[in-house]
Amino acid sequence: MGIEPLSRRELFTGRAAAKPARIRPPGVSEASLAACTGCGACGERCPTGIIRLADGLPFVDFSRGECTFCGACEEACPQPVFEAKDVRRFPHVAAITDTCLARRNVACQSCGESCSEQAIRFRPRIGGPFLPEINEAKCTGCGACLSGCPVSAIAVKAMEAEVAHV
């Protein structure tokens, strides 16, 4: 088991930065990853090339493209890693950050143009470009808008669970 090198900042502050949680392929849970052998078959079969391996486990890299929910990764996997069958959404949604060009008065609608679910609409405003708004109910978390954004102004956030009324 190797030791991960520290960045300069981590060295000078004396603490390691928190590693962001990696996004799992659709239908894969944290528990089911224990069955993964790290063979890489899921990544080899992914038609958009977004599934990669890190530390022997698969994760989704939306900077490379989007998930089409085709199921090729599940079909290629020889182990019981994919629990949920016929998954059509991730457990996260897109979120537009403050670095969005439209929020900085530059006309851009790249995210909306790349969203096949039409989960991103643009609200008109006086004196500036239309502002993007995400309909979380329609967003599948596929990553099309992330890879389509010219300034990487879109992030993912966990879906909020609905509160039950008692």
Side-chain angles (χ1 to χ4, degrees), residues 21-159:
R22 291 196 170 109
I23 299 170
R24 297 179 301 272
V28 175
S29 71
E30 193 67 36
S32 69
L33 279 177
C36 181
T37 62
C39 69
C42 55
E44 292 171 8
R45 288 280 304 277
C46 179
T48 58
I50 63 169
I51 298 178
R52 299 176 55 202
L53 291 180
D55 302 324
L57 297 174
F59 74 97
V60 175
D61 181 0
F62 287 129
S63 69
R64 306 175 114 202
E66 67 184 278
C67 181
T68 61
F69 303 104
C70 67
C73 53
E74 179 185 348
E75 292 170 9
C77 185
Q79 302 300 323
V81 175
F82 292 80
E83 293 178 328
K85 305 296 181 196
D86 194 34
V87 175
R88 297 285 176 218
R89 73 177 312 135
F90 282 91
H92 65 256
V93 292
I96 299 171
T97 67
D98 290 335
T99 59
C100 172
L101 291 175
R103 290 185 178 177
R104 295 174 175 251
N105 290 322
V106 177
C108 178
Q109 295 190 358
S110 296
C111 57
E113 292 168 358
S114 62
C115 181
S116 62
E117 299 297 319
Q118 297 180 339
I120 303 174
R121 297 288 188 179
F122 292 86
R123 181 175 34 91
R125 68 177 172 158
I126 297 172
F130 291 11
L131 292 174
E133 292 180 338
I134 296 179
N135 179 337
E136 293 184 7
K138 284 186 170 184
C139 180
T140 63
C142 71
C145 58
L146 276 82
S147 59
C149 180
V151 294
S152 302
I154 302 177
V156 295
K157 69 173 189 171
M159 290 176 59

